[in-house]
Amino acid sequence: MNNYNYFAVDIGNSWYKVLASDHGELREYQMPNAIALYDDEFYEKPYDEEDIELEENLIAEIKSPAITNKREIFYAGKAAAKQRNVSLTASNNQKADEDRTYILLFAAAAYHASIINSNDIELDYCIDQLAVSLPTTQYKERKEQLKQRLIGSHTITLHKVPGIPEPKELIVKLEIKDVIVGAEGACAYLGLIRDIDTLTIKDDNLVKDTKKGIIIGDLGGDSVDFVGIKNSKPVASVEGDHFGINLFLDTIIKKVSKNELYTFDSRSELEEKLFAGQSEWYVEPFAGVRKDISKYVIPQLRIMAIKYLEHFDRARSSSSEIKGASRYIAVGGAAKLAQKQIQEAAVRWADKGRPIELTFPENLEKLNVFGLMILAKMNQLKKQHENTEELISIEG
């Protein structure tokens, strides 16, 4: 299993979470879901290049059958989030249809390839098994389209790469041999029950609980996905909805800009501040001026928490197979950020006679990408097993 390269990407509307395993060595990245058109005329040459990280200066040009617009160059991730023309996700976006999905995923793969081959300016990188996710609302109709656009050969040129000579270009020829697509939420279940290295079951109690049924509520940037698990298998009748933290982040950004005269570069800047804890919930619109923004943050997290529970209640009532679910599990970065507010709202729901006792597991924000890496490895094992059976059949 460790003889292959695996790449797992949770295509979040706020962040791309990436796990890469090269011959058993595991690395982890994340980048904001942000792109911006690059214009050489307005590029500001860094004063001291040694202080510039490639991750914060990722400028990618992509030649690929997956990309519709092949002539443009883009800032990607953290580099894009700092630009005035940054493009963030729109609600109800269709991930398999949009160039941004492929631009960001290929840029992330090229960045990873450059990190593990730091002395080369032209390199080949092969992914034996890629695993990516889609929301439950897009999974059935779009998974084959996403898979077919990702499989194959793609060339990524990274421009203005710090630390290498002129023309400061790094070229990555990327080969993706196979792709498997998982549904958000269902992948989190894999991440909960299996060990990411050995793939063995690590939580027997949770597996037993699925005999009665469990519900996983994956709260992300622009979607909330509910997956009912019965007898360790997803129940298809629970669908996701277009609701997530981005709407509330945008409201906080507007209120802070209007009242405190501070403009965030992007949602990711605000999210990083919120994840750092309440002691970091302030901005400095002017030198020496410090403004507390918790009065804008907490009300929005409370509203989001109430709506999240409303969706949870609706999901558990929507399917006869999971009405008697034994456990409700919160996953996703937005659920982690608003855990306190969700728990407070759940107390009020219990007082009203409609208890929703949520479990907040360890690493709840990473469970989807953990599950995707497990899915990639399991698919590779399955293919090896099938090839062995074919060989035995032929030789027999």
Side-chain angles (χ1 to χ4, degrees):
M1 193 163 61
N2 287 338
N3 293 329
Y4 298 94
N5 289 347
Y6 303 99
F7 210 69
V9 185
D10 179 5
I11 306 175
N13 285 316
S14 291
W15 292 85
Y16 274 41
K17 297 185 180 71
V18 178
L19 278 181
S21 173
D22 300 280
H23 300 284
E25 184 177 353
L26 195 66
R27 290 175 186 261
E28 184 176 348
Y29 311 95
Q30 67 173 21
M31 64 163 60
N33 187 338
I35 59 173
L37 270 175
Y38 171 78
D39 189 331
D40 193 51
E41 185 180 345
F42 296 104
Y43 180 73
E44 294 182 10
K45 190 174 181 179
Y47 179 75
D48 189 347
E49 192 173 275
E50 291 182 355
D51 294 335
I52 302 298
E53 299 285 344
L54 175 58
E55 184 184 7
E56 298 176 356
N57 196 59
L58 210 56
I59 302 169
E61 180 179 4
I62 294 165
K63 303 299 182 191
S64 164
I67 303 293
T68 305
N69 188 346
K70 298 178 173 62
R71 291 179 295 181
E72 300 290 359
I73 302 174
F74 292 90
Y75 289 100
K78 288 186 176 180
K82 297 175 182 175
Q83 307 304 314
R84 289 185 178 179
N85 62 338
V86 60
S87 166
L88 304 173
T89 58
S91 62
N92 200 21
N93 64 85
Q94 300 297 309
K95 293 176 180 177
D97 293 342
E98 299 181 9
D99 275 0
R100 67 180 301 127
T101 300
Y102 305 95
I103 292 166
L104 284 163
L105 197 151
F106 294 150
Y111 171 68
H112 170 70
S114 73
I115 295 297
I116 61 173
N117 298 279
S118 56
N119 296 322
D120 298 329
I121 59 172
E122 289 192 22
L123 54 97
D124 297 314
Y125 180 62
C126 176
I127 297 174
D128 294 290
Q129 185 67 62
L130 168 66
V132 291
S133 58
L134 283 176
T136 53
T137 48
Q138 300 173 28
Y139 175 74
K140 290 178 186 173
E141 294 184 357
R142 308 282 182 176
K143 66 177 181 179
E144 194 58 32
Q145 177 189 348
L146 180 61
K147 177 179 176 178
Q148 293 307 323
R149 288 178 72 171
L150 288 169
I151 288 176
S153 302
H154 319 277
T155 300
I156 303 103
T157 302
L158 301 181
H159 295 275
K160 308 290 183 187
V161 178
I164 66 170
E166 293 290 347
K168 307 187 76 59
E169 291 181 358
L170 193 153
I171 298 172
V172 180
K173 293 182 179 176
L174 175 67
E175 177 75 18
I176 299 176
K177 289 187 174 179
D178 194 20
V179 176
I180 188 165
V181 182
E184 293 170 5
C187 291
Y189 176 66
L190 274 180
L192 277 167
I193 63 163
R194 290 191 181 272
D195 184 274
I196 197 169
D197 295 318
T198 65
L199 306 184
T200 55
I201 299 291
K202 65 178 182 180
D203 191 339
D204 288 319
N205 290 330
L206 184 57
V207 174
K208 290 175 184 173
D209 285 346
T210 67
K211 290 181 180 176
K212 289 186 178 178
I214 65 172
I215 303 176
I216 296 173
D218 182 11
L219 183 56
D222 284 320
S223 68
V224 56
D225 294 279
F226 294 97
V227 176
I229 307 288
K230 196 78 177 282
N231 295 318
S232 284
K233 293 181 179 178
V235 180
S237 57
V238 182
E239 293 289 337
D241 207 342
H242 302 300
F243 161 76
I245 194 173
N246 285 347
L247 172 68
F248 303 94
L249 294 177
D250 290 345
T251 301
I252 295 168
I253 288 170
K254 285 180 185 175
K255 287 180 179 289
V256 171
S257 175
K258 179 181 178 182
N259 298 312
E260 308 299 347
L261 305 179
Y262 179 87
T263 303
F264 286 95
D265 284 338
S266 65
R267 293 171 186 150
S268 59
E269 183 194 352
L270 172 59
E271 263 190 301
E272 285 186 303
K273 188 178 285 294
L274 300 185
F275 272 115
Q278 195 164 350
S279 62
E280 299 298 319
W281 292 2
Y282 64 86
V283 294
E284 294 183 4
F286 310 104
V289 177
R290 187 180 167 102
K291 296 283 189 177
D292 183 357
I293 62 169
S294 58
K295 59 186 174 184
Y296 310 110
V297 173
I298 293 172
Q300 292 303 312
L301 295 184
R302 284 176 176 159
I303 296 169
M304 184 179 73
I306 292 168
K307 289 187 176 296
Y308 179 51
L309 291 182
E310 288 173 350
H311 281 287
F312 231 117
D313 191 43
R314 200 171 300 134
R316 69 177 175 180
S317 303
S318 66
S319 170
S320 58
E321 295 178 272
I322 52 172
K323 270 187 176 174
S326 61
R327 208 189 294 194
Y328 308 134
I329 301 173
V331 305
K336 181 175 182 177
L337 193 58
Q339 180 173 341
K340 180 182 176 185
Q341 288 74 23
I342 294 169
Q343 289 171 322
E344 288 173 352
V347 171
R348 291 193 290 276
W349 274 72
D351 292 342
K352 294 176 184 175
R354 297 185 69 83
I356 301 179
E357 296 179 9
L358 285 171
T359 301
F360 292 83
E362 186 180 2
N363 290 320
L364 71 163
E365 77 280 17
K366 299 178 182 177
L367 286 172
N368 270 312
V369 74
F370 286 172
L372 285 166
M373 178 55 74
I374 291 165
L375 194 63
K377 290 182 175 181
M378 291 175 72
N379 199 49
Q380 187 67 39
L381 280 176
K382 181 183 172 186
K383 286 189 297 184
Q384 287 175 244
H385 180 66
E386 288 171 351
N387 289 340
T388 303
E389 284 191 338
E390 284 179 12
L391 190 61
I392 291 170
S393 174
I394 292 168
E395 289 180 343

